[in-house]
Amino acid sequence: MSAPAAVLPARGWTRRFRANPTSWLGVALIAAVVLAALLASTIWPLDPLEQNVAERLMAPTAAHPLGTDTFGRDVLARLLHAARISLLIGAFSIALAMTIGSAIGIAAGYLGGWFDAAVTSLLDVLLSFPTLLLGLMVVAMLGPSMGNLVIAIAITELAPFARVARAPTITLKGRDFVEAGRALGFSDLRLVVVHIIPNLLSEVVVVASLWLATAIRTEASLSFIGLGVKPPTATWGGMIREGFENILDAPWLALAPSLAILVTVLGLNLLGDGLRDAIDPRARRD
Amino acid sequence: MTEPLLEVRDLTVEFRSGGAWHPAVRNVDLSIAPRETLAVVGESGSGKSVTALAVMGLVPAPAGRIAAGSSIRLSGRELVGLGERELDRVRGDRVAMIFQEPMTALNPTMTVGEQVAESVRAHRGLGAQAARREALRVLDLVKVPSAARRMDDYPHQFSGGMRQRVMIAMALACHPAVLLADEPTTALDVTIQAQVLSLVEDLKREHGLGVLFITHNLGVVALIADRVAVMYAGEVVETAPAAELFETPRHPYTEALLASMPRVDRDVGALEPIQGNVPSIREIGPGCAFAPRCAHAQARCRESRPRLEPEGAARSVRCWLRTASP
Amino acid sequence: MSAKPILSVEGLGKRFEVGGGLLRRPAQVHAVVDASFEVAERACLGLVGESGCGKSTLARCLLRLVEPDEGRIVFEGEDVRSLDGPALRRLRRRMQMVFQDPYASLNPRRTVRQTLAEPLVVHGLATGEAVDARVEAALAEVGLPPDSAPRFPHEFSGGQRQRIGIARALVLEPRFIVADEPVSALDVSVQAQVLKLLEALRERHGLSMLFVSHDLGVVRHVCDRVAVMYLGRVVEEAPVPDIFDRPLHPYTRMLRAASPVPDARARFSLPRVEGEIPSAMDPPGGCAFHPRCPSALARCAKERPALADLRGGHRVACFLHSPEAAP
């Protein structure tokens, strides 16, 4: 009896995913964050940029449930609008990293030989840098802007995607159905696009959900250092930095965005773990 | 006839699937005498391997269970219902098992000699020195060439056939009464298969072992079996002395299987395939499990299940056509 | 050989490099050495041998799924090794392969219709409704119901999947099929169905075939001629009755004697087989079989016998039968 191949998700993974309560918690948390970001103005109609010097550093009240910051801006409104920016930057950078990283990994795995050896060594170098340091170097080179931030974060996360796409490509390349495709006269491009990519996509998606959490953290860290999105646009990292200056007088300023990041990262990790366990139940035991 | 070493009565093993229990093995009766090889032959899903697991007490709980009323007696002692610790003592001491793929059963980080010695020590309480001597003795016994030198090699340095010999050595080190062999030669080339089969045959004769040999290959059955039990879809459908089974198969399944096999020794003309596929354990109806594929099936075969009825002294068959009074 | 060959192979060789690293030279494995044979129009040549003998590599070399290092492959008058690009793709329309493992040889994410339609579309042989018609015809041809088309491979049994694999090989209407152990992963009761199907298709389409198998019984049933390989070399090649009833090479005899037969009279005739199969990385000198050969001569350790034609197309590489056959 032949065991199912490692690279192909076992059947019934949607059922296993649904049967796992922690993945549901992840889904609920992420859904809440996304909804809050999308409906920011509806939920809380105050303008996140409107300054009101008279109401500086106010403690939470009914009018400002999370208080106000040093410019008298409403923290709840800023938190909700920051969610949009943080999620967008995270999503765009992950999409970029996933596309380019997987393409590199698939090319290396499929072509093999010296190209594979060279790519693998380069990836090892890239992986040896701490994520934050690498992001810092790239932003410092490109200059801080939202687009550059996306590029910087994407570069820090290329290597994991390349790795996760390369290994199954090598396995799939040796599978009989790919060989059968070659015997049938299919081009390499067709074999990769039609027969290899769909069979490794699920694994890449799992990695994406886990690394999206890191991307959001990296964005926050860069913004915290001041290399992120320029003020006055609200981002979670930027809000923590601004709140940090008044951490003793108005702890809610740093606490609220920190909790928002915590919830998002936790939700993404639960979701990613749930997906991984559902798609490859064997990974669980490792 | 001598008293059986191993006697299985009315064994039913069930597995849980989709919220219900489905029997993978139903009402199986088997017995093995000393110096006897019983071959259990069947296709995938016939329940032959599950039967062996049940005898070893290795049915995986909670997904599987041995149903009430089943009995497995080893030298007169009932095994069903024994606790894990007592079973552990029985396994290895009285009954040992070898598998299809020896590489997965061997530890890749220990030398072959250490592993055989470890199994000797675990079951016979010998010291390190004595265990190593005993390991060398059994490796010689299973004809591992230059065993004294090779026992310090690692499993990956052995060929598939030699690894299977090591597995057999580990099994023998504990002086079992019964050897369970689950497709031990299926992964081997035919010339190497012949060597391993000769070895099992020699050990059976010299040590009075009872051998339960599980295989899908009727050719292998012909080479080593004294008696044969043919299994289909979880049931024994026919038992017979090997010579009689091939001369005069009684169950339509056995007959059809023999007619569908291309043979190396003669031209068979047209093959007669068995229509359809082996059923899964979830789709077996109330009648004879083979009825949907049987060329001779009648209405009755689809409605009620025949029993395994004795035919003469040494045979039995589970088929309405053979046992019904005319 | 009476009929004209559709395929002829001359001196085919393939080496693989294994192991090796920055400072270590990789070892060379001679997977196939100097293989020469012909397959006649509408005939079936069996290729038998034990694991590691090079039979699967040789089969893949014919389709250039593995690139041979040396030798000539002539298929329907065309030099296969010189083809590239569009010419190679055209060759692949005429020469197809059936694989061993019916689970691994189908893409699990493609429906049966997608799997069967893809070759037609890629080669521009059909469009629109004509594709569906040909998919349906292919399914009917291999004995699968038309409602199989929208289903996925995992919904089928092993035997049915092998039928899908055969249908995929046939949609391009090839002239030649390379079948690599096509029934060895199937249950005994299903094997015969697939063998009969292959037989019928060969008859109906006038196919020629190379049939790779380790099961001599199956080869006897399916093939007209048989080539026996040992450690990368063809050691004997002859019509089926000669190979099975009058084998000459001591290795063929050993293989034949060790092949189990469902007959209880074989009970006490377990052959005493000597030795293990040597590693292909370090084959013995002289005749590669001499360390296991019960009738080895002194010269067998030193010289290698060439494959010599004895009579009636029976070729054997052994000094016992052709003493003058020095290389």
Side-chain angles (χ1 to χ4, degrees):
Chain A
M1 223 169 285
S2 60
V7 291
L8 302 175
R11 261 172 273 137
W13 70 271
T14 45
R15 187 169 39 85
R16 274 196 300 278
F17 182 79
R18 285 198 300 265
N20 185 353
T22 55
S23 24
W24 277 113
L25 183 59
V27 170
L29 291 176
I30 296 307
V33 173
V34 170
L35 272 180
L38 286 177
L39 305 175
S41 315
T42 323
I43 297 172
W44 195 245
L46 291 188
D47 183 346
L49 300 179
E50 192 187 290
Q51 304 190 0
N52 184 347
V53 189
E55 298 187 343
R56 289 179 70 236
L57 292 176
M58 272 176 49
T61 59
H64 303 288
L66 294 177
T68 59
D69 68 3
T70 39
F71 298 100
R73 296 174 297 202
D74 181 71
V75 173
L76 180 58
R78 286 183 69 72
L79 192 73
L80 292 173
H81 284 86
R84 284 188 181 177
I85 304 291
S86 294
L87 288 181
L88 270 182
I89 291 177
F92 272 115
S93 57
I94 281 298
L96 196 63
M98 183 167 91
T99 313
I100 298 174
S102 310
I104 292 172
I106 291 167
Y110 190 78
L111 298 174
W114 65 266
F115 181 75
D116 185 30
V119 168
T120 312
S121 319
L122 272 176
L123 291 178
D124 285 341
V125 173
L126 209 55
L127 275 170
S128 66
F129 282 98
T131 312
L132 186 58
L133 186 64
L134 192 62
L136 220 135
M137 281 162 48
V138 177
V139 178
M141 270 192 292
L142 300 175
S145 81
M146 212 151 116
N148 289 345
L149 200 58
V150 166
I151 294 174
I153 297 172
I155 289 176
T156 66
E157 304 196 342
L158 280 183
F161 282 102
R163 282 198 159 181
V164 94
R166 176 180 168 271
T169 303
I170 292 171
T171 316
L172 287 163
K173 191 178 101 179
R175 290 280 298 264
D176 284 351
F177 68 80
V178 173
E179 198 164 36
R182 286 213 288 141
L184 287 161
F186 299 168
S187 64
D188 287 330
L189 186 66
R190 169 171 277 275
L191 288 175
V192 168
V193 173
V194 178
H195 295 279
I196 290 184
I197 290 179
N199 281 304
L200 54 79
L201 209 56
S202 53
E203 276 179 72
V204 172
V205 168
V206 170
V207 170
S209 68
L210 291 172
W211 279 87
L212 181 53
T214 311
I216 287 172
R217 259 180 24 225
T218 308
E219 181 273 324
S221 307
L222 289 172
S223 297
F224 180 77
I225 308 171
L227 287 173
V229 178
K230 289 250 183 60
T233 311
T235 69
W236 287 339
M239 287 176 71
I240 296 177
R241 178 168 55 99
E242 289 161 13
F244 210 67
E245 293 158 11
N246 295 298
I247 190 88
L248 294 177
D249 309 329
W252 57 87
L253 290 183
L255 199 60
S258 303
L259 283 176
I261 292 173
L262 183 78
V263 166
T264 313
V265 168
L266 181 69
L268 284 168
N269 278 318
L270 291 177
L271 179 74
D273 282 348
L275 274 177
R276 192 197 53 212
D277 289 349
I279 285 171
D280 182 8
R282 281 160 299 179
R284 196 173 207 153
R285 277 171 249 133
D286 296 341
Chain B
M1 207 170 165
T2 39
E3 185 184 325
L5 280 176
L6 177 71
E7 190 161 29
V8 175
R9 286 278 162 263
D10 209 22
L11 175 70
T12 297
V13 183
E14 300 167 315
F15 285 90
R16 210 184 168 83
S17 162
W21 290 95
H22 298 278
V25 163
R26 293 181 293 163
N27 315 102
V28 163
D29 294 339
L30 299 170
S31 73
I32 301 173
R35 271 175 240 281
E36 181 183 51
T37 300
L38 172 73
V40 174
V41 63
E43 301 178 89
S44 60
S46 64
K48 56 190 192 300
S49 293
V50 174
T51 304
L53 288 181
V55 171
M56 287 299 284
L58 293 175
V59 172
R65 67 178 185 199
I66 294 179
S70 305
S71 160
I72 300 168
R73 297 175 86 85
L74 187 66
S75 312
R77 182 168 183 216
E78 179 61 55
L79 299 188
V80 174
L82 280 192
E84 194 54 36
R85 184 175 299 176
E86 289 153 304
L87 267 176
D88 253 346
R89 204 167 316 128
V90 173
R91 284 196 285 260
D93 279 8
R94 302 291 299 153
V95 44
M97 185 158 179
I98 56 176
F99 300 91
Q100 176 171 348
E101 189 26 84
M103 199 56 200
T104 55
L106 290 169
N107 180 343
T109 63
M110 272 168 84
T111 67
V112 161
E114 283 168 3
Q115 296 189 54
V116 179
E118 190 191 33
S119 122
V120 171
R121 293 177 69 179
H123 287 284
R124 291 170 54 195
L126 295 181
Q129 282 292 320
R132 190 176 158 86
R133 272 198 306 277
E134 178 65 11
L136 179 57
R137 191 185 69 83
V138 288
L139 285 170
D140 270 330
L141 199 67
V142 297
K143 303 186 185 100
V144 169
S146 29
R149 184 167 50 80
R150 296 222 62 191
M151 70 188 291
D152 295 321
D153 284 348
Y154 289 89
H156 71 90
Q157 292 165 295
F158 280 59
S159 68
M162 280 302 148
R163 278 182 215 137
Q164 199 55 280
R165 284 174 196 265
V166 172
M167 286 303 298
I168 296 172
M170 286 173 72
L172 287 179
C174 313
H175 300 310
V178 175
L179 179 67
L180 300 188
D182 187 0
E183 305 258 12
T185 60
T186 303
L188 303 178
D189 285 311
V190 286
T191 59
I192 307 303
Q193 165 170 283
Q195 295 172 340
V196 172
L197 294 178
S198 308
L199 174 66
V200 171
E201 173 77 12
D202 292 348
L203 294 172
K204 180 194 86 177
R205 280 194 207 158
E206 288 158 22
H207 299 265
L209 285 177
V211 180
L212 180 69
F213 196 100
I214 291 168
T215 180
H216 69 282
N217 188 328
L218 281 166
V220 169
V221 172
L223 281 174
I224 64 144
D226 299 303
R227 282 191 308 123
V228 187
V230 181
M231 287 190 74
Y232 184 79
E235 297 179 326
V236 173
V237 295
E238 174 165 15
T239 62
E244 294 180 30
L245 185 89
F246 291 103
E247 281 300 317
T248 54
R250 295 286 290 156
H251 196 282
Y253 173 64
T254 319
E255 219 172 357
L257 212 52
L258 284 167
S260 73
M261 267 185 83
R263 298 176 60 137
V264 68
D265 57 335
R266 58 171 191 248
D267 293 320
V268 289
L271 294 181
E272 292 168 34
I274 305 176
Q275 296 310 317
N277 294 293
V278 179
S280 97
I281 60 172
R282 287 198 276 178
E283 55 189 35
I284 291 164
C288 167
F290 187 59
R293 303 176 73 189
C294 182
H296 315 288
Q298 301 168 351
R300 155 177 221 188
C301 303
R302 292 182 200 95
E303 284 150 18
S304 68
R305 185 173 159 227
R307 288 161 36 127
L308 189 65
E309 300 281 359
E311 266 203 348
R315 306 189 63 165
S316 58
V317 62
R318 187 191 290 276
C319 177
W320 286 124
L321 303 175
R322 304 294 179 212
T323 55
S325 44
Chain C
M1 224 174 274
S2 51
K4 99 179 152 59
I6 186 169
L7 175 82
S8 66
V9 172
E10 253 178 68
L12 194 76
K14 175 67 190 174
R15 293 177 298 274
F16 289 111
E17 296 196 334
V18 291
L22 215 51
L23 300 171
R24 214 153 28 96
R25 280 255 302 278
Q28 287 221 327
V29 175
H30 293 262
V32 178
V33 189
D34 195 19
S36 303
F37 56 85
E38 290 180 348
V39 180
E41 191 90 46
R42 290 171 169 263
C44 178
L45 175 71
L47 198 55
V48 303
E50 296 179 280
S51 55
C53 74
K55 56 190 192 297
S56 282
T57 304
L58 176 50
R60 281 166 170 74
C61 279
L62 300 183
L63 285 146
R64 298 228 346 239
L65 292 174
V66 167
E67 284 298 337
D69 293 318
E70 58 209 15
R72 250 166 85 82
I73 305 168
V74 179
F75 177 67
E76 292 190 311
E78 219 172 354
D79 182 354
V80 171
R81 284 193 66 202
S82 69
L83 301 180
D84 56 0
L88 184 60
R89 287 183 28 164
R90 274 200 302 280
L91 166 84
R92 287 177 171 164
R93 265 173 57 184
R94 290 175 291 143
M95 210 173 183
Q96 271 305 308
M97 180 143 179
V98 175
F99 293 83
Q100 168 174 9
D101 184 346
Y103 294 82
S105 63
L106 299 175
N107 187 338
R109 292 176 186 276
R110 310 272 288 167
T111 62
V112 172
R113 176 183 290 118
Q114 285 173 320
T115 294
L116 298 184
E118 194 175 9
L120 294 170
V121 174
V122 165
H123 287 276
L125 296 178
T127 49
E129 281 177 11
V131 174
D132 280 347
R134 285 186 66 168
V135 166
E136 217 163 281
L139 286 174
E141 179 125 57
V142 297
L144 286 172
D147 66 4
S148 311
R151 292 159 66 191
F152 286 91
H154 70 79
E155 299 174 59
F156 297 87
S157 68
Q160 291 169 322
R161 285 187 221 204
Q162 201 56 304
R163 288 174 192 266
I164 299 168
I166 292 170
R168 175 181 59 189
L170 286 177
V171 282
L172 294 178
E173 298 179 343
R175 306 265 298 120
F176 192 95
I177 299 270
V178 174
D180 186 10
E181 305 263 13
V183 296
S184 50
L186 304 179
D187 271 317
V188 187
S189 73
V190 177
Q191 269 193 12
Q193 296 174 7
V194 173
L195 289 177
K196 267 197 106 94
L197 172 66
L198 281 174
E199 229 174 276
L201 293 171
R202 249 186 80 202
E203 186 76 13
R204 195 177 315 148
H205 297 279
L207 294 171
S208 318
M209 190 150 73
L210 181 82
F211 191 96
V212 180
S213 180
H214 70 281
D215 185 330
L216 294 195
V218 170
V219 167
R220 175 170 198 146
H221 185 78
V222 173
C223 303
D224 310 303
R225 291 179 67 84
V226 184
V228 181
M229 286 183 80
Y230 188 72
L231 287 179
R233 289 174 189 273
V234 175
V235 296
E236 183 164 9
E237 199 234 328
V240 158
D242 287 347
I243 285 281
F244 289 96
D245 300 330
R246 293 174 291 281
L248 293 179
H249 198 286
Y251 176 63
T252 312
R253 290 183 180 178
M254 185 187 277
L255 208 55
R256 167 72 179 77
S259 294
V261 171
D263 187 334
R265 274 164 296 188
R267 177 71 174 84
F268 296 110
S269 63
L270 269 173
R272 297 287 145 174
V273 177
E274 291 299 314
E276 295 194 53
I277 305 165
S279 157
M281 273 159 81
D282 185 22
C287 169
F289 187 62
H290 84 266
R292 300 175 75 192
C293 183
S295 19
L297 311 168
R299 69 186 291 202
C300 298
K302 294 185 224 103
E303 306 167 53
R304 191 176 50 241
L307 196 62
D309 203 331
L310 297 187
R311 61 192 136 64
H314 196 143
R315 302 194 300 159
V316 62
C318 179
F319 289 127
L320 297 171
H321 303 285
S322 53
E324 68 288 349

